Amino acid sequence: MGWNRKVLRVNLTAGTCNPEPLNMAWANDYLGSRGLASKYLVEEIDPKVDPLSPDNKMIMATGPLTGTMASTGGRYTVVTKGALTNAIACSNSGGYFGAEMKFAGWDMIIFEGRSPKPVYLYLENDKAELRDAGHLWGKTCWETEETIKASHQDPLIRVSSIGAAGENAVLFACIVNDLHRAAGRSGVGAVMGSKNLKAVAIRGTQGVSGIKDFPAFLAATNAAKKVLADNAVTGQGLPKYGTQVLMNVINEMGALPTRNHRDVQFEDAGKISAEAMHEKRPTDGKPHLVTNAACFGCTIACGRISKIDETHFSVKNSPKYWGANGGLEYEAAWALGAANGVGDLEALQYANLLCNEHGMDPISFGATVGAAMELYDLGIISREQIGVDARFGSAEALCKLVEMTAHGEGFGKELGMGSARLCARYGRPELSMSVKSQEFPAYDSRGIQGMGLTYATSNRGACHLRSYTVASEVLGIPVKTDPLVTEGKAELVKAFQDATGVFDAAGICVFTSFAWTLADVQPQIQAACEGDWSMEKLNEVGERIWNMERQFNLAAGFTAADDDLPPRLKTEPAKTGPAKGLVNGIDKMKPEYYKVRGWNADGVPEKATLERLGL
Amino acid sequence: MQKSLHIDPAKCTGCLQCEMACSYEHTGVINPSKSRIKVFNFEHEGRKVPYTCTQCADAWCMNACPVEAIVIDAATGAKVVKEATCVGCKVCTIACPFGTVNYMADVGKVQKCDLCAGDPKCVSACPTGAITYVDADWTGLDRMRAWAARTNTAAVAA
């Protein structure tokens, strides 16, 4: 068995920590992590609950492959009702925290209620204690981790925490572990903050002992690692360039959303690209990038470790940012850069550092700044209101706004609501580039049509990690499809959505899917877990997870009308590049997708579909 | 030929596959907290460094042991802890200048790298070649080759 078969239930209102057995019948239907934790959530909370109320619950969960030799087997997820979206949320993070939870003997931790005062959970194997976090409240994620390790005199503790953003209910606050990995999207950090839970600190020394067939598991994981090593994307491109390898590629395709999606190509894309991170700076003769880095168990190592230019205006008086630190991934570089028209790599890194330090999702933050810059450009909000000259392209404005949002100062409070609420507040809701109130990531759906359907139907609001059809439409993985047409995208999106659910539920990183198909994952799950885990079953698990999440959102009040894109993407054609003249064909794809899914015209799963999946 | 573990920190990504492999080999459990090789992460310098026993020829730990629980494996040159003999006095952990012998409170013995009887599992687990197992008399070979490559470049240019 890949599971520890043990759940920790933490009632923050009562201050209690109680172990309970993992529901193995559910594990058999939902595998683990995203799937299994979502099953617990939908069974335990009212879908209409206010995400920031004590009645919401937050679950940190591992999968059966978390904490094992399976490549990338270090992932954990945070499942809750999202503060930003009011939809089901599942944010996934790497680093070392997830594996440590497994080594301490737990599969998941369920947090319920609200603590009367700030606390942190300390887990040392079976020992679970809520401890006073009065001295930690107000501290950054970095200070929190350092302080906890120092006070326990144990440098081997792994920590997940919120910063000021989560404490102050910034709606795109995230949860940061191991300094620069994050459960980033949908405002899971705001939910954690609403519970007065500052951090979770874990030390696990029990390890993972229950692999079903260890020789078979080693053979399967070794074979799968070889597939990653031999693949050009996972074996060469990602280690060398990181996800940033995409910046120039997507820009060339005319699918790099620029200045709040007004444009689809960014004239300064090259300056904020992976290639630029490798170049020596004129100021100090050093490249921005120091090295690459892996999360627990990962044999790809796409992570970036960078050093900011000490002479840059943002940090020249702040030596604490001069050391090596988590560097720009493609999504952050896009959101902080192209989305705002900012082509200053060092400014983007500064904003990225503050997002990590204070616990904010750089995608939603950056895209919200983009929306604010458009409101400013249109004269709807003034310089006095914002407190800075927020012109598109202003690196100074970006750096100022990230500080204001992190600290909840002035206009930063309004940015902290996210773009949907910000634009609605100023009477221009259509300027928010979001679905279900969650900002788009870094692909313009006019140039990559399938991504429009991906965003519109994603159960956690606009997101690229629910069905990354970029793999097929741009990179030809597993087969090349034409990014400029809508034909076949309904089937493609469904297939990606279902398969991704299995990768997430297993506890591995979805980036492996550049090289792996489900057929590479299946033998690893089969060798680790009791029971039958055939391809047929795994496909069904993926589809079951998707439909379960859908049912939750429908019960929460979402309808087919929420599976839509902002009017800009449906009515304003791309101005340049290969997609010039195109809008996204969501209205054509959506009914096809509902049909492929076995849902009715209102996007509600048909009875036969639910019965087939045992829902 | 005797072989030696050789570590190139510049190639380490911090994935901890070595710690998993080591702990599984010696305890039957995937448990980095029981690993005899440890990866250190110097966050603010962007350096990750795997570190373990170098198998000193005249080993402090072996000399310090009062019950002769640490012996030489003739085939590999590894200094190996005989668990049945070890009394858990921890003198070896004090004697080792490098900290690579450590006490296991749960079993009351010490543990250290034993080179897995000549097939070190950390080596086969490392995805980047940061840990290799090379001729003990030629641990400098790669570095020599790198420097050698920089000499007599005139011949190449000619």
Side-chain angles (χ1 to χ4, degrees):
Chain A
M1 59 181 186
W3 305 275
N4 283 322
R5 297 178 176 238
K6 236 169 78 186
V7 176
L8 180 67
R9 186 174 294 273
V10 179
N11 187 309
L12 292 158
T13 308
T16 55
C17 302
N18 290 308
E20 58 185 65
L22 184 71
N23 186 321
M24 291 309 294
W26 290 352
N28 191 51
D29 285 343
Y30 296 93
L31 189 55
S33 200
R34 173 179 161 195
L36 189 51
S38 296
K39 174 64 176 170
Y40 271 85
L41 188 80
V42 306
E43 291 289 336
E44 294 193 12
I45 72 165
D46 175 356
K48 293 200 188 303
V49 73
D50 172 357
L52 298 179
S53 80
D55 294 334
N56 193 10
K57 298 191 184 187
M58 185 186 88
I59 304 175
M60 291 181 165
T62 64
L65 298 186
T66 307
T68 74
M69 284 85 160
S71 186
T72 77
R75 312 294 300 187
Y76 90 103
T77 52
V78 180
V79 172
T80 185
K81 183 173 177 180
L84 182 68
T85 55
N86 280 306
I88 195 162
C90 170
S91 291
N92 186 307
S93 182
Y96 302 96
F97 178 82
E100 199 73 17
M101 189 192 302
K102 202 77 178 281
F103 297 148
W106 305 95
D107 293 306
M108 60 171 84
I109 310 168
I110 302 173
F111 294 96
E112 48 194 34
R114 172 187 287 159
S115 171
K117 60 183 177 58
V119 290
Y120 72 100
L121 174 68
Y122 175 65
L123 266 184
E124 187 191 321
N125 296 328
D126 295 337
K127 188 170 88 179
E129 294 171 358
L130 287 169
R131 295 194 171 202
D132 180 61
H135 63 300
L136 299 172
W137 206 253
K139 282 197 182 336
T140 68
C141 297
W142 300 349
E143 291 163 347
T144 299
E145 181 167 334
E146 195 181 318
T147 307
I148 288 175
K149 285 177 177 177
S151 66
H152 287 268
Q153 296 187 43
D154 186 353
L156 299 176
I157 288 175
R158 306 290 188 187
V159 178
S160 233
S161 70
I162 55 167
E167 294 177 12
N168 299 326
V170 168
L171 292 181
F172 45 77
C174 63
I175 301 170
V176 175
N177 59 285
D178 304 294
L179 302 180
H180 42 75
R181 310 311 310 181
R185 302 222 69 192
S186 312
V188 295
V191 173
M192 185 158 160
S194 75
K195 300 195 169 304
N196 267 327
L197 179 64
K198 176 66 179 177
V200 179
I202 306 183
R203 179 73 193 288
T205 61
Q206 299 182 151
V208 171
S209 55
I211 299 295
K212 183 181 69 181
D213 180 346
F214 209 91
F217 184 68
L218 263 191
T221 52
N222 283 337
K225 282 173 187 166
K226 186 165 186 316
V227 173
L228 293 177
D230 291 345
N231 181 279
V233 177
T234 51
Q236 295 158 39
L238 284 175
K240 178 161 187 199
Y241 292 116
T243 53
Q244 271 274 65
V245 69
L246 287 165
M247 185 64 74
N248 285 320
V249 175
I250 301 299
N251 192 48
E252 286 298 309
M253 289 197 60
L256 189 70
T258 302
R259 288 175 284 269
N260 206 34
H261 287 63
R262 277 181 172 175
D263 300 297
V264 296
Q265 290 183 307
F266 182 39
E267 60 282 2
D268 285 337
K271 291 185 190 169
I272 61 169
S273 66
E275 291 80 354
M277 288 170 74
H278 277 270
E279 278 167 23
K280 285 180 181 163
R281 288 184 287 240
T283 45
D284 59 4
K286 294 175 188 163
H288 184 86
L289 185 75
V290 176
T291 185
N292 65 331
C295 294
F296 181 91
C298 175
T299 57
I300 304 173
C302 75
R304 302 293 92 183
I305 301 295
S306 295
K307 267 191 188 169
I308 200 164
D309 181 349
E310 294 172 14
T311 65
H312 190 261
F313 74 84
S314 58
V315 297
K316 65 181 178 196
N317 297 318
S318 307
K320 76 165 174 165
Y321 297 113
W322 293 357
N325 213 317
L328 290 162
E329 319 281 340
Y330 171 60
E331 295 297 333
W334 163 79
L336 301 166
N340 308 313
V342 177
D344 177 342
L345 185 68
E346 306 299 330
L348 308 193
Q349 173 65 1
Y350 176 68
N352 193 50
L353 289 175
L354 262 71
C355 283
N356 287 340
E357 185 183 21
H358 299 285
M360 299 194 290
D361 167 19
I363 302 180
S364 280
F365 166 73
T368 301
V369 170
M373 284 181 167
E374 181 157 12
L375 291 168
Y376 180 74
D377 186 67
L378 295 170
I380 294 165
I381 43 177
S382 66
R383 178 175 180 154
E384 288 65 39
Q385 280 171 295
I386 300 182
V388 60
D389 179 12
R391 275 176 297 176
F392 276 124
S394 170
E396 291 78 8
L398 174 72
C399 294
K400 183 75 185 149
L401 290 172
V402 73
E403 291 166 4
M404 288 164 66
T405 309
H407 301 304
E409 294 164 3
F411 188 71
K413 282 195 187 129
E414 299 194 35
L415 285 174
M417 301 187 299
S419 69
R421 291 164 180 85
L422 178 79
C423 293
R425 182 186 174 100
Y426 290 99
R428 298 296 297 272
E430 76 283 5
L431 293 181
S432 167
M433 296 298 121
S434 62
V435 174
K436 298 179 180 73
S437 300
Q438 177 155 290
E439 290 72 16
F440 290 125
Y443 310 89
D444 196 296
S445 60
R446 289 166 291 198
I448 308 174
Q449 292 285 324
M451 290 308 283
L453 185 61
T454 287
Y455 297 153
T457 61
S458 161
N459 286 326
R460 69 165 186 174
C463 172
H464 56 298
L465 296 173
R466 285 298 172 271
S467 81
Y468 192 69
T469 61
V470 173
S472 168
E473 296 178 274
V474 179
L475 303 168
I477 302 167
V479 286
K480 184 77 173 78
T481 53
D482 184 346
L484 301 180
V485 304
T486 58
E487 284 74 30
K489 297 299 161 63
E491 292 83 359
L492 188 72
V493 166
K494 176 187 181 289
F496 270 79
Q497 285 172 338
D498 292 349
T500 301
V502 178
F503 280 71
D504 287 345
I508 55 174
C509 177
V510 75
F511 286 5
T512 55
S513 67
F514 285 115
W516 289 352
T517 66
L518 215 46
D520 296 292
V521 183
Q522 185 271 337
Q524 303 182 67
I525 297 175
Q526 181 67 63
C529 302
E530 282 169 351
D532 158 53
W533 296 94
S534 64
M535 287 293 288
E536 294 71 24
K537 177 167 172 176
L538 289 174
N539 279 310
E540 191 182 278
V541 167
E543 191 177 2
R544 182 180 296 123
I545 292 169
W546 193 263
N547 280 273
M548 170 181 64
E549 293 171 343
R550 176 73 175 182
Q551 291 285 82
F552 178 91
N553 284 350
L554 292 172
F558 288 94
T559 68
D562 298 300
D563 299 339
D564 205 357
L565 300 176
R568 171 164 287 166
L569 298 169
K570 301 203 293 180
T571 59
E572 296 177 25
K575 293 175 194 161
T576 60
K580 188 176 174 181
L582 283 184
V583 294
N584 185 268
I586 183 65
D587 292 335
K588 186 166 179 304
M589 291 184 284
K590 194 163 84 172
E592 291 170 6
Y593 169 83
Y594 285 174
K595 210 172 156 190
V596 170
R597 273 268 169 229
W599 298 353
N600 71 16
D602 294 325
V604 178
E606 302 277 10
K607 195 158 169 262
T609 305
L610 295 176
E611 278 175 3
R612 178 168 58 79
L613 297 169
L615 287 165
Chain B
M1 174 180 70
Q2 207 155 82
K3 294 177 103 176
S4 190
L5 278 181
H6 188 62
I7 291 173
D8 181 354
K11 291 182 178 165
C12 177
T13 63
C15 73
L16 308 194
Q17 286 281 353
C18 55
E19 295 191 13
M20 282 191 273
C22 177
S23 58
Y24 183 76
E25 174 68 12
H26 293 100
T27 69
V29 178
I30 305 167
N31 189 357
S33 75
K34 299 282 186 229
S35 173
R36 297 156 188 211
I37 186 165
K38 201 88 201 132
V39 178
F40 293 88
N41 191 352
F42 300 94
E43 292 280 353
H44 299 295
E45 299 159 43
R47 285 194 302 135
K48 294 172 197 293
V49 184
Y51 201 79
T52 189
C53 174
T54 55
Q55 314 294 349
C56 305
D58 189 4
W60 277 271
C61 60
M62 199 167 71
N63 292 333
C65 180
V67 294
E68 295 185 357
I70 299 178
V71 297
I72 300 178
D73 177 331
T76 63
K79 312 302 172 293
V80 178
V81 178
K82 281 162 65 185
E83 279 202 19
T85 311
C86 175
V87 295
C89 73
K90 312 181 200 67
V91 170
C92 57
T93 71
I94 300 165
C96 174
F98 309 105
T100 55
V101 193
N102 282 283
Y103 182 64
M104 298 182 286
D106 52 348
V107 290
K109 313 278 180 187
V110 297
Q111 66 167 10
K112 66 176 289 301
C113 171
D114 60 3
L115 295 176
C116 298
D119 179 18
K121 300 303 176 195
C122 53
V123 171
S124 42
C126 179
T128 63
I131 311 166
T132 48
Y133 195 48
V134 302
D135 185 342
D137 293 346
W138 283 103
T139 54
L141 194 67
D142 277 351
R143 214 175 299 172
M144 281 174 80
R145 184 188 290 114
W147 282 99
R150 293 164 64 163
T151 65
N152 195 18
T153 49
V156 181

